[in-house]
Amino acid sequence: MDFTFTEEQQAAAEAARGVFAGVAPDGVPSPALVPGAVAEDIDRPLWSRLASGDLLSLTLSPEHGGAGLDPVALCLVLRESARVLARVPLLETCAVATALQRYGEPSLAAELLPRVGRGELVLTVGANGRSGHEPAERAVTARPETAAGTTALTTPPAEAGAGDARTGGTDAGWVLDGTQTAVPWAQAADWIAVPAHTPEGRTVIALISSDQDGVTLAEQVSTNGERLAEVRLESVRVTGRALMDRPGAWAWLRALLTTGTCALALGLGEAVLAMTSEYTGKREQFGFPVATFQSVAVQAADRYIDLRAMEATLWQAAWRISTGADGTLPAEGDIAVAKIWASDGIRRVVQTAQHLHGGFGADTDYPLHRFHAWAKQIELSLGPAAAHEEALGELLASHLLG
């Protein structure tokens, strides 16, 4: 394994630092002070800057207007976004777009992906099932329907125009029923990727829009104050063109989402540790900075070790996804290890930061409490550490280690 980043990957990280440089973590009301969401929409000006910096098309191929980079580059950008608590569905949009490129119908990819890269379309995904504690693909059923009773993949009304596949469509369609909870920014998304299972037990991914017949969004709010939605599907019809049904599509998409979440945890944790270092270096007791006290230094050192472990396991997982390299265990094992470290590590980092800041850390005029709320959201997203420990145990039990 060589974790040295390529020039292109380093350039992507540098571009991301430039785009996120002007973003303030406290640019919206504190989630501790508002009863609902901190904002009604994503940060649209930031979304436009990401598009202008070619960061939304980072993992798309040149034929779709992208740079053709790998998930490692995406994780580098996500790491930077978490340092400033960027309120954009960067992970969801890039992950779904990349999955569509790999597993989707080519003409649909050619139609949608250039617009994603230009920032014209926002994508999200339902990855939490009905309760957040079950396989997401089991929460929705997809049954085939004859072409006569099917409507084509539709473009939202505001986006409809020449060349759109809003009507027509003669291929056999599918009917979706079920519920996905805690879908990030579903209200702001143009397309929602929904995993579902067929009568034969296959897993497919359907692209739907929130204004389709049979789609209902129920308002939810995350721990960090961002808008979520419970997406309810009742006899929602899509065509085969809107379905990613190649084997491995959902497993790959979920792997990328999980690994990207680990990158968010790393970036957030690094920002929190830097904040703590600055504070303890200035805060004095008994005439000395508290950073010089042994108990403070030991706690900070422990959290630094957590971050380095989070980093090493993240790049191992991202490398496995990017290269498809073989290992003693499938890539899912490395992803599980990365998420275990991300979930446990980020919790310890923010808890120690709160402790070393004292009462100042809970002051709503100081940004640390915002990072704590985001950390809790990231810790539980796509499964807490315990869920991934169970998955890792099952992998170890089913694979003989030489």
Side-chain angles (χ1 to χ4, degrees), residues 273 276-277 279-280 283 290 295-297 299-300 303 350-361 368:
L273 189 61
T276 305
S277 175
Y279 176 78
T280 56
R283 177 75 167 90
V290 297
S295 61
V296 172
Q299 291 181 73
R303 300 296 78 82
V350 295
Q351 286 178 345
T352 297
Q354 288 281 11
H355 174 65
L356 296 182
H357 275 82
F360 198 55
L368 180 59

Side-chain angles (χ1 to χ4, degrees), residues 80-131:
E80 298 301 324
S81 76
R83 296 178 190 269
V84 296
L85 308 184
R87 293 182 303 101
V88 287
L90 178 61
L91 170 58
E92 293 80 9
T93 292
C94 291
V96 173
T98 309
L100 177 60
Q101 177 175 262
R102 289 173 61 98
Y103 297 99
E105 204 277 329
S107 68
L108 182 62
E111 177 185 328
L112 297 185
L113 295 184
R115 299 182 64 196
V116 171
R118 295 193 298 267
E120 298 171 4
L121 296 178
V122 175
L123 310 179
T124 190
V125 55
N128 294 300
R130 283 183 291 265
S131 64

Side-chain angles (χ1 to χ4, degrees), residues 260-275:
T261 302
C262 297
L264 294 174
L266 176 62
L268 188 148
E270 289 173 332
V272 167
L273 189 61
M275 191 184 309

